[in-house]
Amino acid sequence: MTVQPAMPKCWRVETKPHKFCPGCGHGLVLKALGQAIDELGIQDKVVFGCDIGCSLLSWDFFNVDTIQTHHGRTNPVVTGIKRANPDVICVAYMGDGGGYAIGSQHLVSSATRNERITAILVNNTQYGMTGGQMAPTTMPGQKTETSPYGRDADTTGSPTQGPEMVAAIAPEGAYVARGSVANMKQLKNYIKKALENQMAGNGFSFVEALSLCPTNWRTNAKDTWKFLEEDMYKYFKVGELKVPGPREKEGQ
Amino acid sequence: MPEKPIQGEKRMFVTGNEVVAWAALAAGAEIMYGYPITPQNEIMHYWTRMIPKYGRRFLQTEDELSAGFTTVGGVLAGRRAFTATAGPGNTLMQEPISMAEAMRLPIVVVVQQRGGPSTATVIYSQQEVTLTTLGGNGEGLRVVYSTATHQELFDYTIKSFNTAWKYRFPTFVLGDGYQAKMRESLMFYDPAERGIEMVPTDAYVGRPGMPGVDRAPTHMRNTYNMEEELYDVLQGYLADFAKAAPEIAEHEAFDTEDADLVIISHGVVSRACKMAVRELREQGYKVGYFRPITLRPMPEKAMREMAGKAKQLLVVESAQGQLDRLVKEVIYGSTAEMLSLFKPGVGVTSEEVITRVKEIKG
Amino acid sequence: MGKPIKIVLAGEGGQGVQSVAEILAEAANEKGREALYIPNFGVEQRGGVSVAYLQIGDEKIGAPKFQTADIVIALSDRAVTRTRKYVGPETVFVYDSGIENIKDELPTNTNKIYAIPAIEVSKKELHPRVFNVIIMGAVLKATGVVAMDDAKKAIEKKLGYKFEKNPELREMNFKAMDRGAELVADLS
């Protein structure tokens, strides 16, 4: 087993290499999260909840207390933990299906209640684990297993603008951003700010991470990055959407 | 340290929902998560009014899925956590309960049964027996206490926290709309003063120490990659459940020894049956009374023994045979004739039970 | 062992039948007797017939509902129709004489039927607000389930904070109870 030199300290060495497909973006998002946890020195305080879908493969990823939950239900599980023990720092890790489809009511309600948790949602525009079906984030014209002729926005809707929605409904104190695995430094900073926002007790914090799924996109390395940086960027704008308090301007 | 909610013994005259809220307080429940649904609402009403004084918590969630999953979270954090629901809410609640089963999480759920299927009535039924005992996509690894009186509602709400935390199976108090809304007398008490020791809780997540350094990290999952992995886990759970079952199982019975016909019922219906048996005995009928208090696990040994002696068994319930199916499974092989008085979604009076017995006996 | 007395009270929402049942139940409980009170309830927050089931006895009460009542009190036309099924040969049936067009609806197989002018008395002599207390007085007189004084204590316990501010209210409530008892006494 080879250990990458850049592996964050809070990663669990025994469970590496990880279980994600080659080229998957999850490893990158979890690397950004790991770096943020290390920099904040909160490994012993974090409780990590992972959803169903490819995100579940992170159930033993960190040397951090971890609960693998049900599809869409990670927000309420970590909400329950946080409400019962406010001393821990709760991270809910999910995919776009878990957050925007089956668990959308939980995302909406966690946001409107300004739950002091951090939700990280990985957007790869389709359901990965179940074999590449159309997701709320699938782009118009994008081919998936359940939109084999390309997503027809007229009959199946347009890609969910998750951070935009959360920013619109969350009260003051919430932190909302959309990052991308194509800009790891920025993504790590967003996640770090999201964790800090929870630690400060300000409110809900939400980071959508634009990610990669070469397996279901059926793309080679070059086309995978092209899919993210050309196609996805058209629909999903990277940046901070809501920053609490006096830092509001900085986020614009 | 806030004072104890109940000091000394106190005779009370309150609704069942108020009983549950007080019992949860007395049991040291630390947090309730809930979503409004009739007829359990007043549990939340009383809980939220009383808790500031005792330093307890409450979260009103967006639905019963969330109420169940946040309760799961509360338990993971090491708290005595509970929720309450009914009817369609119980249907939704089965998803989080199956996670609790899969991960052996000691959540406590109070169910105040209402009419079904669907929205039906907000009033009363015993139609959530199948759902509560065997719901979810699993094996029914749960404990279900079916109460009949306000005293039992108090006693078993306290007990459910101990059963849950001792055996680590989700535990239910199965009441109904009648019990929720009616008033009758009972004694409130502090469990410690009665010598009832509360089983200590511990946290699954957020314990002291650096995970991976000072201690192993908690890594809990309910998903398995291989059939065999799941099978092995379930074998362990099933063995634990089978071992615990005789310790957990409870029943109430009288006049069964010489009875030709034994009336089997549970919950509030057993009150009508108890009256009926007493009255019929006075009239010279050889009838007996048997009531499982735990519907999961069933009091198998006692029920089999009883069924081995009786010639006829009359199952009475406010459902179309939900208890009846559980009974038949237990007494399989018994030659006793199976008779029924099923009133799905409707209360049963002692008069009706007496009439039915006389009809049988001719 | 005596059997508990079984009472059904029914009226329109707002007539206060649930309060009557609750106060009677509490009065009995205060005296160390056993009582069981259960309201009917449905999806409607308002409107509809309100029915209260009350049992008072000396031992733990059995089933919360029953087939035949010892006394049925119906305070509206719909309540009369609704409660007929609780009437048996031994039942005392009490209804308000002000209810119109219900002659055909009245039960026929009963022990006794009383028509009492509670609505009229409340309006003319006292106050419509204490209508239900007149009914309580009538029930007490007809059944003797709770002593008049104990019921007054239970009212005091429930409404004492209002009586503090307005002692006339206490007078009116107690008078209403006595008048209710008289209405039944006149008939027997």
Side-chain angles (χ1 to χ4, degrees), chain B residues 7 25 65 72 110 122 157 180 189 207 279 294 302 320 351:
Chain B
Q7 279 154 358
L25 270 184
L65 290 166
V72 159
V110 179
V122 299
T157 298
Y189 53 84
R207 281 175 288 120
E279 220 165 299
T294 49
Q320 193 66 26
E351 293 98 323

Side-chain angles (χ1 to χ4, degrees), chain A:
Chain A
M1 189 174 74
T2 51
V3 177
Q4 301 295 317
M7 192 187 287
K9 191 171 92 21
C10 65
W11 276 24
R12 184 163 176 85
V13 177
E14 293 89 326
T15 57
K16 305 294 168 296
H18 57 61
K19 305 174 183 85
F20 300 104
C21 302
C24 175
H26 271 288
L28 295 169
V29 181
L30 294 170
K31 183 174 179 181
L33 173 61
Q35 288 169 340
I37 290 171
D38 285 354
E39 285 178 24
L40 293 167
I42 54 173
Q43 185 184 341
D44 59 340
K45 289 274 184 294
V46 172
V47 175
F48 180 74
C50 57
D51 217 73
I52 294 295
C54 296
S55 62
L56 85 84
L57 299 174
S58 61
W59 73 275
D60 60 355
F61 196 93
F62 295 105
N63 265 332
V64 156
D65 286 350
T66 302
I67 306 296
Q68 173 256 310
T69 78
H70 279 196
H71 195 28
R73 316 300 175 211
T74 308
N75 275 319
V77 170
V78 306
T79 293
I81 294 171
K82 184 73 178 187
R83 290 276 179 160
N85 181 6
D87 295 337
V88 295
I89 299 161
C90 285
V91 177
Y93 187 68
M94 69 204 74
D96 36 36
Y100 298 149
I102 193 168
S104 58
Q105 77 273 39
H106 307 311
L107 177 62
V108 165
S109 300
S110 305
T112 53
R113 287 197 306 261
N114 231 0
E115 292 293 343
R116 272 58 169 176
I117 62 171
T118 299
I120 300 172
L121 185 146
V122 176
N123 175 357
N124 59 14
T125 74
Q126 41 74 50
Y127 287 83
M129 179 157 276
T130 46
Q133 295 84 6
M134 183 177 70
T137 46
T138 298
M139 297 175 290
Q142 183 182 342
K143 286 179 181 166
T144 70
E145 291 298 328
T146 50
S147 60
Y149 306 109
R151 181 175 193 175
D152 176 9
D154 203 36
T155 55
T156 65
S158 299
T160 299
Q161 301 294 298
E164 287 77 2
M165 175 187 74
V166 173
I169 62 175
E172 186 55 39
Y175 174 85
V176 183
R178 181 187 281 118
S180 163
V181 294
N183 187 343
M184 284 296 287
K185 196 169 169 217
Q186 183 194 52
L187 178 62
K188 187 256 301 172
N189 281 334
Y190 289 167
I191 292 175
K192 192 174 167 185
K193 277 173 145 180
L195 291 168
E196 284 173 324
N197 197 53
Q198 179 184 168
M199 291 156 72
N202 290 336
F204 188 59
S205 48
F206 182 66
V207 178
E208 181 187 286
L210 301 178
S211 187
L212 313 168
C213 184
T215 302
N216 286 310
W217 294 349
R218 302 197 171 91
T219 45
N220 62 22
K222 190 172 152 237
D223 289 342
T224 300
W225 288 104
K226 198 167 153 253
F227 189 97
L228 170 64
E229 290 177 299
E230 289 184 14
D231 299 341
M232 287 174 71
Y233 279 17
K234 265 186 239 156
Y235 289 95
F236 307 111
K237 198 170 167 283
V238 170
E240 290 180 309
L241 290 102
K242 197 177 178 81
V243 180
R247 287 154 60 190
E248 193 91 53
K249 280 207 179 87
E250 191 186 307
Q252 299 299 311

